[in-house]
Amino acid sequence: DAGVIQSPRHEVTEMGQEVTLRCKPISGHNSLFWYRQTMMRGLELLIYFNNNVPIDDSGMPEDRFSAKMPNASFSTLKIQPSEPRDSAVYFCASRQLQGGSGNTIYFGEGSWLTVV
Amino acid sequence: QKEVEQDPGPLSVPEGAIVSLNCTYSNSAFQYFMWYRQYSRKGPELLMYTYSSGNKEDGRFTAQVDKSSKYISLFIRDSQPSDSATYLCAMSPRTDKLIFGTGTRLQVFP
């Protein structure tokens, strides 16, 4: 079975440019999460969706960050304009809300972003 | 103060050793406790899952939760070089968002 698929795996961009990260959750999962990981702060939840609806975006650092989930199989995280302090690994994760594994969140392999 | 505290390590042990990894937390509402393992340049993967207090064993791994002390542990018996990774604790009051520790880096040398 395909896991959570993220693209791009690596991105190097210049400060001020727009960055779009993409995620395809596991088929049948109806909850999707965006996390950011840095050495200093660890894994931080940015936003999560249930059934394509944003439930909690309190972790989104500022207005430069936005996330969308237009359908059950696709989500984007956009940073505009990007800044060097946005350099981090961005993980997408998904989960099936109901069922015995309701708390098991499956992570993608991450998008490694460097803003220079 | 962070909601979840975890010693970043690194922790270096010889093969065959018993490893103890720990997290403390401040939110008494946490009910769900998990341990994730993250290999270098990979996403975290679920290792152990516990609801409320108690112990859970799975092969060489044992997870313990002490809610009275707000303290959780992961024990690895007969550690192997393949166990070398970063171990992240995670917890939640409900079945929605998880709060992660910063992770403990473990190295098991032959």
Side-chain angles (χ1 to χ4, degrees), chain B residues 49-70:
Chain B
Y49 162 66
T50 309
Y51 172 69
S52 195
S53 284
N55 295 358
K56 185 172 184 177
E57 188 173 319
D58 184 2
R60 296 184 296 111
F61 298 90
T62 300
Q64 287 185 351
V65 175
D66 182 350
K67 292 188 70 180
S68 62
S69 301
K70 297 190 181 68

Side-chain angles (χ1 to χ4, degrees), chain A residues 4 17 20 32 42 55 60 62 65 72 87 93-94 98 102 107 116:
Chain A
V4 176
Q17 297 297 306
T20 299
L32 183 140
I55 302 301
M60 295 286 262
E62 47 199 274
F65 286 70
S87 299
S94 71
Q98 286 76 38
F107 284 80
V116 297

Side-chain angles (χ1 to χ4, degrees), chain A residues 5-67:
Chain A
I5 299 172
Q6 292 186 244
S7 65
R9 287 298 314 279
H10 300 274
E11 173 109 1
V12 180
T13 191
E14 290 186 347
M15 182 173 62
Q17 297 297 306
E18 178 179 291
V19 174
T20 299
L21 308 178
R22 298 173 177 79
C23 176
K24 177 178 168 55
I26 293 173
S27 177
H29 283 191
N30 49 10
S31 191
L32 183 140
F33 304 79
W34 282 101
Y35 282 88
R36 177 172 67 177
Q37 187 175 39
T38 60
M39 288 291 291
M40 289 297 294
R41 301 172 69 91
L43 261 175
E44 300 175 285
L45 178 65
L46 300 177
I47 185 171
Y48 78 96
F49 298 83
N50 284 346
N51 297 310
N52 312 339
V53 176
I55 302 301
D56 185 346
D57 65 354
S58 60
M60 295 286 262
E62 47 199 274
D63 291 345
R64 297 185 298 107
F65 286 70
S66 62

